């Protein structure tokens, strides 16, 4: 995942929490995930710096701590909407070279996010 996400710029193409689809709030943002663990959200030239972290889950009695996937993913960026809604611990439910699907660890959060790589 780290090799995939640090190549290029990314966009939130879906953000659904419970029954609320707030994808449109991210329409103007492009995200860069750097190999040093920093990330940049660029909103038409206004940049916000934050942090991201990926790790394999710790297994506890055969089950990964990060939910149903062994891939833990955390973002911490911004202090206001919409970026603050990304500040969570997630697990990666599916990944390709151009799309990463992440879901909140806490079932009560019920957040499902899709980030897609922008064309070069």
């Amino acid at each position: 995942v780290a090799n995939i996400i640090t190549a290029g710029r990314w966009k939130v193409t879906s953000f659904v929490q419970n029954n609320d689809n707030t994808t449109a709030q991210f329409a103007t943002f492009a995200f860069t995930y750097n190999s040093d663990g920093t990330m940049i959200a660029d909103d038409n030239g206004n940049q916000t710096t934050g942090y991201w972290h990926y790790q394999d889950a710790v297994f506890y009695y055969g089950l990964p701590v990060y939910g149903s996937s062994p891939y833990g993913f955390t973002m911490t960026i911004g202090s206001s909407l919409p970026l603050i809604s990304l500040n969570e611990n997630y697990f990666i439910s599916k990944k390709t070279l151009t799309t990463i699907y992440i879901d909140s660890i806490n079932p009560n959060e019920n957040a499902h996010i899709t980030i897609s790589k922008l064309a070069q």
Side-chain angles (χ1 to χ4, degrees):
V1 172
N3 292 337
I4 295 171
I5 204 162
T6 55
R9 291 166 36 107
W10 296 79
K11 186 162 198 61
V12 173
T13 52
S14 177
F15 190 106
V16 177
Q17 187 167 14
N18 295 315
N19 293 325
D20 299 326
N21 186 332
T22 58
T23 307
Q25 293 180 3
F26 295 96
T28 57
F29 286 89
F31 296 88
T32 303
Y33 298 86
N34 299 309
S35 59
D36 66 358
T38 60
M39 64 184 285
I40 299 169
D42 188 323
D43 182 17
N44 292 319
N46 295 320
Q47 295 187 342
T48 303
T49 302
Y51 302 94
W52 71 278
H53 179 71
Y54 162 79
Q55 70 180 32
D56 290 333
V58 174
F59 285 83
Y60 187 71
Y61 290 109
L63 298 174
V65 174
Y66 281 98
S68 61
S69 167
Y71 307 110
F73 191 79
T74 302
M75 288 186 278
T76 307
I77 189 164
S79 57
S80 60
L81 288 173
L83 294 179
I84 197 169
S85 58
L86 296 174
N87 295 348
E88 282 293 333
N89 293 319
Y90 301 99
F91 68 89
I92 297 172
S93 56
K94 183 179 173 185
K95 66 184 182 318
T96 69
L97 293 177
T98 57
T99 307
I100 299 174
Y101 302 87
I102 57 179
D103 300 292
S104 54
I105 293 169
N106 183 344
N108 294 327
E109 297 284 333
N110 197 24
H112 308 280
I113 303 166
T114 305
I115 55 175
S116 301
K117 190 172 187 177
L118 292 170
Q120 298 295 333

